[in-house]
Amino acid sequence: MTGSLALNYRLSDDIMAYTSYSRGFKAGGINLFREAVLTDTTHYDPEYADSYEIGLKSQYWQGRASSNIALFYTEFSDLQVNFFDGLNFRTENTGKARTQGVELENTLLFTEQWTMDFAVTYLEATFESLDNPQLDYLLDRDTPRAPDWASVLGINFNQQLSANLKIKARASLSYTGDHYVGADVVGEEKQDEYLISDLSISLQDQADSWAVTLWCKNCDNQDYRTIYFNSAFQEGSNNAYLNAPRQYGATFSMKF
Protein backbone atom coordinates (compact mmCIF):
# COMPACT_ATOMS: atom_id res chain seq x y z
CA MET A 1 0.00 0.00 0.00
CA THR A 2 1.26 3.50 -0.85
CA GLY A 3 0.02 7.00 -0.13
CA SER A 4 0.82 10.29 1.53
CA LEU A 5 -0.45 12.51 4.32
CA ALA A 6 0.44 16.19 4.77
CA LEU A 7 -0.54 18.86 7.28
CA ASN A 8 -0.04 22.59 6.70
CA TYR A 9 -0.29 25.41 9.19
CA ARG A 10 0.02 29.06 8.20
CA LEU A 11 1.90 30.97 10.88
CA SER A 12 1.30 34.25 9.05
CA ASP A 13 0.45 35.48 5.57
CA ASP A 14 4.08 34.90 4.53
CA ILE A 15 5.14 31.82 6.54
CA MET A 16 3.74 28.31 6.36
CA ALA A 17 4.84 25.27 8.36
CA TYR A 18 4.16 21.74 7.19
CA THR A 19 4.82 18.11 7.96
CA SER A 20 4.27 15.07 5.75
CA TYR A 21 4.54 11.31 5.55
CA SER A 22 4.57 9.29 2.33
CA ARG A 23 5.10 5.68 1.35
CA GLY A 24 6.21 4.92 -2.16
CA PHE A 25 7.65 2.08 -4.17
CA LYS A 26 9.75 1.29 -7.21
CA ALA A 27 8.56 -1.70 -9.23
CA GLY A 28 10.58 -4.89 -9.42
CA GLY A 29 11.87 -6.41 -12.65
CA ILE A 30 13.91 -9.04 -14.43
CA ASN A 31 17.66 -9.21 -15.19
CA LEU A 32 17.97 -10.50 -18.76
CA PHE A 33 21.38 -12.16 -19.02
CA ARG A 34 22.52 -15.79 -18.79
CA GLU A 35 24.75 -15.43 -15.73
CA ALA A 36 21.77 -14.23 -13.66
CA VAL A 37 20.69 -17.87 -13.35
CA LEU A 38 24.06 -18.81 -11.85
CA THR A 39 23.94 -15.99 -9.27
CA ASP A 40 20.21 -16.33 -8.53
CA THR A 41 19.55 -12.73 -9.60
CA THR A 42 17.12 -13.34 -12.46
CA HIS A 43 14.58 -11.01 -10.85
CA TYR A 44 14.40 -8.36 -8.16
CA ASP A 45 11.55 -7.31 -5.87
CA PRO A 46 9.90 -3.89 -5.50
CA GLU A 47 11.68 -1.29 -3.39
CA TYR A 48 9.68 0.55 -0.71
CA ALA A 49 10.40 3.87 0.97
CA ASP A 50 8.83 5.52 4.03
CA SER A 51 9.53 9.24 4.03
CA TYR A 52 9.00 11.89 6.72
CA GLU A 53 9.47 15.63 6.22
CA ILE A 54 8.99 18.79 8.24
CA GLY A 55 9.68 22.30 7.05
CA LEU A 56 8.92 25.98 6.61
CA LYS A 57 8.07 27.99 3.49
CA SER A 58 8.38 31.76 3.66
CA GLN A 59 8.20 34.93 1.59
CA TYR A 60 9.64 38.31 2.57
CA TRP A 61 11.03 41.58 1.22
CA GLN A 62 7.58 42.47 -0.13
CA GLY A 63 7.31 39.14 -1.93
CA ARG A 64 10.58 39.55 -3.81
CA ALA A 65 12.38 36.83 -1.87
CA SER A 66 11.51 33.38 -0.59
CA SER A 67 13.23 30.76 1.55
CA ASN A 68 12.17 27.18 2.13
CA ILE A 69 13.79 24.78 4.59
CA ALA A 70 13.02 21.08 4.97
CA LEU A 71 14.27 18.34 7.28
CA PHE A 72 13.76 14.87 5.83
CA TYR A 73 14.18 11.24 6.84
CA THR A 74 13.61 8.18 4.62
CA GLU A 75 13.84 4.46 5.30
CA PHE A 76 14.27 2.13 2.32
CA SER A 77 13.52 -1.59 2.33
CA ASP A 78 14.64 -3.98 -0.45
CA LEU A 79 16.75 -1.12 -1.81
CA GLN A 80 17.47 -1.63 -5.52
CA VAL A 81 21.08 -1.03 -6.55
CA ASN A 82 22.58 -1.36 -10.03
CA PHE A 83 25.74 -3.43 -10.46
CA PHE A 84 28.07 -3.92 -13.43
CA ASP A 85 30.60 -6.76 -13.60
CA GLY A 86 32.32 -5.59 -16.78
CA LEU A 87 30.05 -7.72 -18.96
CA ASN A 88 26.51 -7.34 -17.67
CA PHE A 89 24.36 -4.90 -15.77
CA ARG A 90 22.10 -6.25 -13.06
CA THR A 91 19.77 -4.81 -10.44
CA GLU A 92 19.72 -6.40 -6.98
CA ASN A 93 17.76 -5.88 -3.78
CA THR A 94 20.51 -5.12 -1.27
CA GLY A 95 18.53 -4.69 1.97
CA LYS A 96 17.73 -1.66 4.10
CA ALA A 97 19.11 1.87 3.84
CA ARG A 98 18.46 5.23 5.47
CA THR A 99 18.74 8.81 4.27
CA GLN A 100 18.35 11.96 6.32
CA GLY A 101 19.31 15.57 5.98
CA VAL A 102 18.26 19.15 5.48
CA GLU A 103 17.60 21.21 2.36
CA LEU A 104 17.47 24.99 1.97
CA GLU A 105 16.08 26.74 -1.13
CA ASN A 106 16.16 30.50 -1.78
CA THR A 107 15.04 32.81 -4.56
CA LEU A 108 15.67 36.54 -4.77
CA LEU A 109 14.35 39.14 -7.20
CA PHE A 110 16.89 41.98 -7.32
CA THR A 111 15.17 43.93 -10.11
CA GLU A 112 12.67 43.15 -12.83
CA GLN A 113 15.61 41.93 -14.93
CA TRP A 114 17.84 40.10 -12.40
CA THR A 115 16.93 37.13 -10.22
CA MET A 116 18.98 34.62 -8.24
CA ASP A 117 18.23 31.13 -6.98
CA PHE A 118 20.30 29.14 -4.52
CA ALA A 119 19.84 25.70 -2.99
CA VAL A 120 22.02 23.64 -0.66
CA THR A 121 21.52 20.12 0.71
CA TYR A 122 23.22 18.22 3.50
CA LEU A 123 22.65 14.48 3.26
CA GLU A 124 23.51 11.33 5.18
CA ALA A 125 22.70 8.16 3.22
CA THR A 126 23.96 4.76 4.39
CA PHE A 127 23.35 1.04 3.98
CA GLU A 128 21.94 -0.27 7.27
CA SER A 129 21.56 -4.02 6.59
CA LEU A 130 22.37 -6.27 3.65
CA ASP A 131 20.61 -9.41 2.42
CA ASN A 132 23.57 -10.78 0.43
CA PRO A 133 26.61 -11.72 2.60
CA GLN A 134 28.87 -11.07 -0.41
CA LEU A 135 27.92 -7.40 -0.15
CA ASP A 136 28.94 -7.02 3.50
CA TYR A 137 31.61 -4.53 2.43
CA LEU A 138 28.74 -2.05 1.90
CA LEU A 139 27.48 -2.22 5.50
CA ASP A 140 27.42 1.27 7.08
CA ARG A 141 28.91 2.70 3.87
CA ASP A 142 27.36 5.63 2.02
CA THR A 143 24.96 4.68 -0.75
CA PRO A 144 26.04 5.48 -4.34
CA ARG A 145 25.75 9.02 -5.69
CA ALA A 146 24.91 10.49 -2.29
CA PRO A 147 27.36 13.31 -1.47
CA ASP A 148 27.21 14.87 1.98
CA TRP A 149 26.94 18.33 0.42
CA ALA A 150 25.42 19.55 -2.84
CA SER A 151 24.39 23.02 -3.96
CA VAL A 152 23.30 25.05 -6.98
CA LEU A 153 23.62 28.79 -7.60
CA GLY A 154 21.92 30.42 -10.56
CA ILE A 155 21.74 33.98 -11.89
CA ASN A 156 18.99 34.84 -14.39
CA PHE A 157 18.60 37.88 -16.64
CA ASN A 158 15.42 38.80 -18.54
CA GLN A 159 15.16 41.95 -20.65
CA GLN A 160 12.49 43.20 -23.02
CA LEU A 161 14.19 44.50 -26.17
CA SER A 162 11.10 45.61 -28.05
CA ALA A 163 7.38 44.94 -28.19
CA ASN A 164 8.04 41.56 -29.83
CA LEU A 165 11.56 40.58 -28.74
CA LYS A 166 13.13 39.64 -25.41
CA ILE A 167 16.42 38.21 -24.24
CA LYS A 168 16.97 35.63 -21.50
CA ALA A 169 20.25 34.49 -19.99
CA ARG A 170 21.28 32.12 -17.20
CA ALA A 171 24.58 31.27 -15.55
CA SER A 172 24.76 28.50 -12.97
CA LEU A 173 27.27 26.72 -10.77
CA SER A 174 26.55 23.23 -9.43
CA TYR A 175 28.65 21.82 -6.58
CA THR A 176 28.76 18.09 -5.78
CA GLY A 177 30.74 16.87 -2.77
CA ASP A 178 32.85 13.73 -2.71
CA HIS A 179 30.85 10.51 -2.97
CA TYR A 180 30.86 6.87 -3.99
CA VAL A 181 29.92 6.37 -7.61
CA GLY A 182 28.72 2.77 -7.39
CA ALA A 183 28.59 -0.33 -5.23
CA ASP A 184 30.62 -2.76 -7.33
CA VAL A 185 34.19 -2.21 -6.10
CA VAL A 186 35.10 -3.36 -2.58
CA GLY A 187 37.80 -0.77 -2.00
CA GLU A 188 36.33 2.05 -4.04
CA GLU A 189 37.69 5.49 -3.25
CA LYS A 190 35.25 8.36 -3.33
CA GLN A 191 34.97 10.57 -6.38
CA ASP A 192 36.44 13.98 -5.48
CA GLU A 193 34.20 17.01 -5.24
CA TYR A 194 33.62 19.02 -8.41
CA LEU A 195 32.02 22.25 -9.64
CA ILE A 196 30.12 22.42 -12.93
CA SER A 197 29.36 25.69 -14.73
CA ASP A 198 26.65 26.17 -17.37
CA LEU A 199 25.75 29.21 -19.46
CA SER A 200 22.94 30.05 -21.89
CA ILE A 201 21.60 33.13 -23.67
CA SER A 202 18.42 33.16 -25.70
CA LEU A 203 16.69 35.59 -28.06
CA GLN A 204 12.97 34.90 -28.48
CA ASP A 205 9.70 36.50 -29.39
CA GLN A 206 7.15 37.71 -26.87
CA ALA A 207 4.79 34.76 -27.46
CA ASP A 208 7.61 32.21 -26.97
CA SER A 209 6.81 30.74 -30.38
CA TRP A 210 10.49 30.70 -31.43
CA ALA A 211 13.90 31.09 -29.80
CA VAL A 212 17.57 31.11 -30.76
CA THR A 213 19.82 29.96 -27.92
CA LEU A 214 23.58 29.88 -27.50
CA TRP A 215 24.63 27.52 -24.71
CA CYS A 216 27.54 25.90 -22.96
CA LYS A 217 27.46 22.91 -20.58
CA ASN A 218 30.33 21.94 -18.28
CA CYS A 219 32.08 25.06 -19.50
CA ASP A 220 35.23 24.42 -17.42
CA ASN A 221 35.52 20.90 -18.86
CA GLN A 222 35.53 19.15 -15.49
CA ASP A 223 36.16 15.38 -15.36
CA TYR A 224 34.53 13.03 -12.88
CA ARG A 225 33.51 9.36 -12.69
CA THR A 226 29.92 8.39 -13.41
CA ILE A 227 30.38 4.57 -13.31
CA TYR A 228 33.17 2.66 -11.54
CA PHE A 229 33.43 -1.13 -11.83
CA ASN A 230 35.68 -4.17 -11.73
CA SER A 231 37.33 -5.02 -15.05
CA ALA A 232 36.14 -8.26 -16.60
CA PHE A 233 38.64 -11.14 -16.32
CA GLN A 234 41.26 -8.81 -14.73
CA GLU A 235 41.24 -9.29 -10.98
CA GLY A 236 42.36 -6.20 -9.09
CA SER A 237 41.82 -3.91 -12.10
CA ASN A 238 39.05 -1.33 -12.31
CA ASN A 239 37.50 0.76 -15.06
CA ALA A 240 35.44 3.92 -15.07
CA TYR A 241 33.14 5.86 -17.36
CA LEU A 242 33.56 9.62 -17.26
CA ASN A 243 31.01 12.40 -17.59
CA ALA A 244 30.32 14.27 -20.80
CA PRO A 245 33.08 16.79 -21.62
CA ARG A 246 32.52 20.48 -22.35
CA GLN A 247 29.68 20.96 -24.82
CA TYR A 248 28.57 24.13 -26.59
CA GLY A 249 26.34 24.98 -29.47
CA ALA A 250 23.36 26.87 -30.84
CA THR A 251 19.74 25.77 -30.85
CA PHE A 252 16.80 27.08 -32.84
CA SER A 253 13.34 26.04 -31.61
CA MET A 254 9.86 26.83 -32.85
CA LYS A 255 6.35 25.99 -31.65
CA PHE A 256 3.62 25.24 -34.17
Side-chain angles (χ1 to χ4, degrees):
M1 184 175 69
T2 63
S4 61
L5 175 67
L7 297 174
N8 302 328
Y9 181 74
R10 189 162 291 280
L11 301 173
S12 68
D13 291 341
D14 297 322
I15 302 176
M16 183 186 73
Y18 70 92
T19 183
S20 67
Y21 163 77
S22 61
R23 179 173 174 82
F25 81 102
K26 185 190 298 183
I30 299 174
N31 292 313
L32 296 176
F33 62 96
R34 183 176 63 85
E35 289 77 4
V37 177
L38 303 177
T39 58
D40 193 26
T41 56
T42 54
H43 72 280
Y44 52 94
D45 296 327
E47 169 192 309
Y48 289 90
D50 292 286
S51 299
Y52 307 84
E53 185 173 324
I54 184 171
L56 287 173
K57 296 180 179 292
S58 64
Q59 288 187 332
Y60 48 97
W61 200 20
Q62 298 177 338
R64 296 170 60 183
S66 66
S67 292
N68 305 324
I69 186 169
L71 284 75
F72 56 87
Y73 177 87
T74 303
E75 293 181 342
F76 295 91
S77 57
D78 290 323
L79 179 69
Q80 296 175 6
V81 176
N82 296 323
F83 294 87
F84 182 54
D85 60 12
L87 295 174
N88 302 291
F89 286 97
R90 78 178 191 278
T91 301
E92 183 175 339
N93 297 109
T94 56
K96 294 183 178 180
R98 168 186 54 81
T99 65
Q100 60 184 1
V102 58
E103 183 176 43
L104 177 64
E105 298 177 332
N106 301 276
T107 60
L108 180 61
L109 174 65
F110 293 106
T111 66
E112 292 183 358
Q113 291 79 30
W114 292 96
T115 61
M116 181 189 76
D117 53 85
F118 173 70
V120 60
T121 302
Y122 174 73
L123 175 68
E124 294 180 358
T126 56
F127 291 98
E128 287 198 317
S129 65
L130 297 158
D131 297 334
N132 185 349
Q134 295 182 348
L135 299 177
D136 283 350
Y137 63 90
L138 295 175
L139 189 61
D140 296 326
R141 205 202 77 169
D142 293 349
T143 58
R145 296 181 174 86
D148 290 344
W149 290 97
S151 62
V152 177
L153 172 65
I155 301 294
N156 306 285
F157 176 75
N158 297 278
Q159 177 65 57
Q160 196 74 31
L161 299 178
S162 68
N164 296 318
L165 286 178
K166 59 185 176 181
I167 189 171
K168 292 184 176 181
R170 177 174 172 83
S172 66
L173 291 173
S174 302
Y175 169 81
T176 301
D178 57 359
H179 60 279
Y180 293 106
V181 172
D184 302 272
V185 180
V186 175
E188 178 186 352
E189 294 184 1
K190 286 187 174 183
Q191 162 65 49
D192 291 337
E193 61 185 4
Y194 52 85
L195 189 66
I196 300 297
S197 58
D198 297 323
L199 294 169
S200 68
I201 184 169
S202 177
L203 180 68
Q204 56 193 87
D205 73 332
Q206 185 63 27
D208 293 332
S209 60
W210 63 265
V212 177
T213 305
L214 302 177
W215 52 267
C216 173
K217 297 182 178 180
N218 189 13
C219 301
D220 291 336
N221 202 28
Q222 294 289 318
D223 292 329
Y224 56 90
R225 299 193 307 268
T226 59
I227 299 178
Y228 191 58
F229 57 94
N230 296 301
S231 302
F233 311 120
Q234 299 180 53
E235 186 176 353
S237 178
N238 303 314
N239 284 338
Y241 293 157
L242 298 181
N243 63 298
R246 178 194 297 120
Q247 301 177 69
Y248 53 88
T251 301
F252 174 74
S253 58
M254 178 176 288
K255 297 179 182 179
F256 297 94

